Amino acid sequence: MASKSANTKIWIYLSVLIISFCMIAPVYILIKISFSEPHEVLTQHPTFLIHDVTFKHWKQVFESGNLWEPLRKSFTVASLTMLLALAIVTPASYAISRLNKKAKYIFILTLFFTKMFPVVGIALPISVTFLKWNLLDTDIGLVLAHLIGQLPFMAWILVATFSAIPFDLEESAAIDGASRMQTLSKVILPVAMQGIAVAALYVWLNSWNEFTYALYLSLSTKTMPLQIYYYVERGGFFQQAAYATILAIPVVLITFILQRYLKSDYLGGAVKG
Amino acid sequence: MLNYLKKYNLEILFLLPLSLYILGFTMIPITKSIMMGFQDNITGQWTLSVYEYLFSKPDFMRSIWNTIGVTIIGLTIQISLGLFVAIVLKQTFKGKSIIRALVLMPMGIPTLVSGVTLLYVFGTQGYLNELLYRIGLIEVPINWTSGNIQSLFVIAIADTWKVLPIVVLLLLAGLESISKDVYEASSIDGASKWHDFRYVTLPLLKPAITMTVILRAVDSFRIFELPQILVGKSVPFLSTYAYEEYAYNNLSASGAASTVLLVLILIFVMLYIKFVDKGEGLSSGK
């Protein structure tokens, strides 16, 4: 490896160039389209560069009256999902991480197994039940549905986080006379805080992006992803680009923050379609 | 028993909400979904007629083959491309951290948005056709999403773009866990680069590859958003087919279709572990 020939080096840089191009090009196209005049895009030969910048699609989106309600709904649902997931999963993951090896393995396997179920198979009976419970079209119904996928996912991450905290830490706190709840809140939680925060942000993102349950459970009020889908179905070329960009903004921001925590051990459960 | 409860009361209290939720909102619904498939939509009688109806429908049969096809195509592209990118990223070169961030970028794009974006790339008047036209490879634009095998490729590629960061991260972690000594030993033996890759890297990377293949395959079988956006109804997949039946209020058929999908996923995971992995990768992996 010490003496790398010039030839290899060229190959590496060429590969890097092609890879980067493929990663960036679609994003560029999306943003370009949202700022382009229709005649640049809706033609046999779309242009690659932006010639006439226009803000009219963005103006339409903001003035259409179809933006704020989906934004509010997506934001509320994602935040509530995150908070509820935190409340349910944090104690559970701690408990799982402190179980004996066999019980822990069974729990983790069950969590993994629930990920294998097709979402359409779960969404179907859920929507039938929610219809009876009058939960269709409500924020809380969607939160309950989003939790289905997010609880196992978050538990997967947090069990790893809690497992990494050594037992000794608790024991020494117990010797110092702390009760179990005190040990938890004063010793364990602060140490686990970073993992918990990362997991919570991921849950928020997943819920913000979620499409399938929203499609099954919404009749009139849409979330942002549904709003995009609505324009895709109607062929609203420019609206969908603008909505998609808006949907992506918080995701890009949060991913940027999360990037340094992106380690593959967090990803075991993070792989999402 | 009571003693046991007393000793572990805190643990049990902590585990209860999560366990109940998974039971009530995953296990019971999925059982219901399976049962629905064996019941008549209107009378609720137990019957196999729903399955007879499904398997006589050409669209449903197509959806099975499309689902399997897109998984095979997607996995092949994702693992080979992911491996390639991971190996490139493992090299030392200038601007490596920037490139790493770039490769991870699609991860920060919602699946739905990537679907919309790739609609612009693969549309008949899209950018891929334009690029091919300008290079001089084609005269007439190709209809990529018309419903032939090329549509499967389009969806597989769209999926690849979206998930490549995750595949790369998983494989890169595997690559980085291989110690340098192994390569030094093989270079003393005079092994070529290809030999290194074939006889050192690949076998040692097997746990990481197993993990990636299983995780990706499960998601790929369930693929929903991308086909829903990119090809609509013209190319059915098991998930989108199940949704179509639901949208037409054929709840039984929808339940049956998702049961077929579940069975498909289970068969794949078992086959993979039995024949390809032979119990090696999963036991040493997670």
Side-chain angles (χ1 to χ4, degrees):
Chain A
M1 287 269 191
S3 64
K4 209 172 276 170
S5 67
N7 221 341
T8 334
K9 227 169 197 158
I10 291 174
W11 273 111
I12 290 176
Y13 278 107
L14 201 64
S15 317
V16 165
L17 209 67
I18 295 172
I19 294 166
S20 326
F21 173 78
C22 292
M23 292 294 146
I24 302 172
V27 181
Y28 165 73
I29 290 173
L30 176 75
I31 296 171
K32 173 209 148 54
I33 286 183
S34 78
F35 285 111
S36 288
E37 285 286 350
H39 65 80
E40 275 185 24
V41 179
L42 298 171
T43 114
Q44 281 293 333
H45 300 293
T47 55
F48 286 95
L49 299 173
I50 306 174
H51 296 286
D52 304 312
V53 175
T54 170
F55 292 97
K56 72 175 177 203
H57 313 303
W58 282 91
K59 237 178 113 188
Q60 271 173 10
V61 165
F62 279 106
E63 286 168 1
S64 66
N66 293 331
L67 176 66
W68 302 112
E69 180 53 24
L71 257 184
R72 183 210 59 82
K73 183 160 183 167
S74 280
F75 187 82
T76 315
V77 168
S79 308
L80 281 177
T81 305
M82 181 184 84
L83 291 176
L84 267 173
L86 270 176
I88 298 174
V89 175
T90 315
S93 318
Y94 167 75
I96 294 174
S97 77
R98 265 37 180 173
L99 289 173
N100 65 42
K101 225 178 171 179
K102 205 172 156 200
K104 187 173 161 184
Y105 185 71
I106 291 172
F107 252 104
I108 292 179
L109 214 61
T110 314
L111 293 177
F112 179 66
F113 192 59
T114 60
K115 259 189 74 74
M116 293 186 359
F117 291 137
V119 179
V120 286
I122 306 177
L124 163 71
I126 291 283
S127 83
V128 174
T129 314
F130 279 16
L131 182 66
K132 270 187 238 153
W133 293 353
N134 272 332
L135 281 175
L136 287 189
D137 250 345
T138 60
D139 290 357
I140 205 70
L142 206 51
V143 170
L144 288 176
H146 282 181
L147 283 174
I148 296 170
Q150 295 317 308
L151 292 183
F153 162 73
M154 192 178 198
W156 190 286
I157 299 181
L158 286 192
V159 169
T161 310
F162 282 118
S163 297
I165 301 172
F167 260 122
D168 308 354
L169 217 58
E170 282 170 72
E171 276 164 11
S172 55
I175 291 167
D176 289 343
S179 76
R180 280 201 77 182
M181 286 315 272
Q182 279 175 328
T183 317
L184 269 180
S185 62
K186 298 256 165 65
V187 180
I188 303 290
L189 276 185
V191 180
M193 218 33 171
Q194 192 182 341
I196 295 175
V198 169
L201 282 176
Y202 266 121
V203 167
W204 192 91
L205 277 188
N206 289 343
S207 172
W208 173 261
N209 292 339
E210 208 282 333
F211 175 66
T212 315
Y213 286 116
L215 188 61
Y216 271 81
L217 298 177
S218 301
L219 303 170
S220 55
T221 51
K222 299 183 172 65
T223 58
M224 282 299 284
L226 284 183
Q227 196 65 29
I228 296 172
Y229 179 62
Y230 171 76
Y231 281 113
V232 169
E233 276 200 311
R234 293 182 17 158
F237 229 64
F238 299 97
Q239 286 97 331
Q240 77 197 26
Y243 275 104
T245 313
I246 297 174
L247 181 75
I249 290 170
V251 187
V252 172
L253 286 179
I254 295 180
T255 319
F256 188 72
I257 300 170
L258 285 178
Q259 218 170 61
R260 56 204 190 99
Y261 304 111
L262 279 180
K263 277 178 275 168
S264 68
D265 44 325
Y266 280 154
L267 286 168
V271 186
K272 213 193 154 280
Chain B
M1 185 67 192
L2 212 63
N3 255 336
Y4 196 78
L5 275 179
K6 217 169 172 186
K7 188 177 170 203
Y8 289 105
N9 59 3
L10 196 66
E11 273 83 356
I12 293 170
L13 191 71
F14 278 2
L15 281 172
L16 216 53
L18 179 68
S19 312
L20 285 181
Y21 201 94
I22 289 180
L23 186 73
F25 280 84
T26 307
M27 299 303 176
I28 293 177
I30 209 80
T31 321
K32 263 194 198 157
S33 210
I34 295 171
M35 274 161 49
M36 269 186 204
F38 292 100
Q39 284 173 317
D40 188 274
N41 202 19
I42 299 153
T43 61
Q45 295 241 304
W46 295 95
T47 168
L48 280 174
S49 64
V50 183
Y51 281 91
E52 280 164 19
Y53 156 82
L54 275 187
F55 281 99
S56 69
K57 275 193 91 174
D59 257 13
F60 179 71
M61 295 311 287
R62 272 176 58 211
S63 78
I64 295 185
W65 295 119
N66 284 343
T67 305
I68 297 176
V70 85
T71 305
I72 294 174
I73 297 170
L75 273 181
T76 314
I77 302 177
Q78 282 156 27
I79 297 294
S80 39
L81 199 64
L83 204 53
F84 173 70
V85 176
I87 288 172
V88 170
L89 284 186
K90 215 191 152 219
Q91 315 293 322
T92 39
F93 55 86
K94 266 189 210 129
K96 186 171 164 175
S97 56
I98 300 172
I99 300 301
R100 270 199 187 212
L102 278 183
V103 170
L104 291 181
M105 192 176 61
M107 220 163 145
I109 306 290
T111 313
L112 207 71
V113 177
S114 70
V116 168
T117 313
L118 292 156
L119 214 54
Y120 301 132
V121 177
F122 289 109
T124 318
Q125 302 173 357
Y127 283 87
L128 182 64
N129 278 337
E130 181 61 15
L131 188 70
L132 292 178
Y133 174 83
R134 292 213 188 162
I135 299 173
L137 283 176
I138 56 167
E139 281 293 321
V140 186
I142 301 169
N143 190 354
W144 296 102
T145 53
S146 68
N148 300 325
I149 183 108
Q150 71 222 29
S151 303
L152 289 189
F153 271 94
V154 166
I155 291 173
I157 289 170
D159 190 39
T160 301
W161 185 74
K162 174 67 199 148
V163 301
L164 199 66
I166 291 157
V167 175
V168 169
L169 277 177
L170 287 171
L171 294 178
L172 198 58
L175 275 179
E176 276 168 355
S177 70
I178 301 175
S179 88
K180 282 210 174 81
D181 305 352
V182 196
Y183 289 106
E184 268 164 29
S186 81
S187 78
I188 290 169
D189 292 342
S192 71
K193 276 225 157 87
W194 169 248
H195 261 76
D196 261 2
F197 178 73
R198 175 67 189 82
Y199 296 103
V200 180
T201 312
L202 269 190
L204 287 175
L205 208 57
K206 203 167 170 187
I209 294 180
T210 301
M211 185 78 186
T212 316
V213 167
I214 291 186
L215 286 172
R216 282 304 315 141
V218 169
D219 279 341
S220 177
F221 278 122
R222 302 184 305 176
I223 195 163
F224 182 72
E225 288 144 293
L226 283 177
Q228 193 76 11
I229 285 218
L230 280 169
V231 292
K233 287 165 207 163
S234 65
V235 189
F237 290 84
L238 275 170
S239 278
T240 53
Y241 185 87
Y243 174 71
E244 278 310 309
E245 292 286 3
Y246 165 83
Y248 291 124
N249 220 8
N250 293 331
L251 302 186
S252 302
S254 181
S258 12
T259 308
V260 172
L261 178 54
L262 180 62
V263 171
L264 208 64
I265 293 174
L266 289 177
I267 292 178
F268 170 82
V269 173
M270 281 192 278
L271 280 182
Y272 191 93
I273 291 173
K274 188 155 194 284
F275 289 108
V276 185
D277 182 59
K278 298 191 183 95
E280 291 164 35
L282 272 189
S283 53
S284 52
K286 265 188 192 167

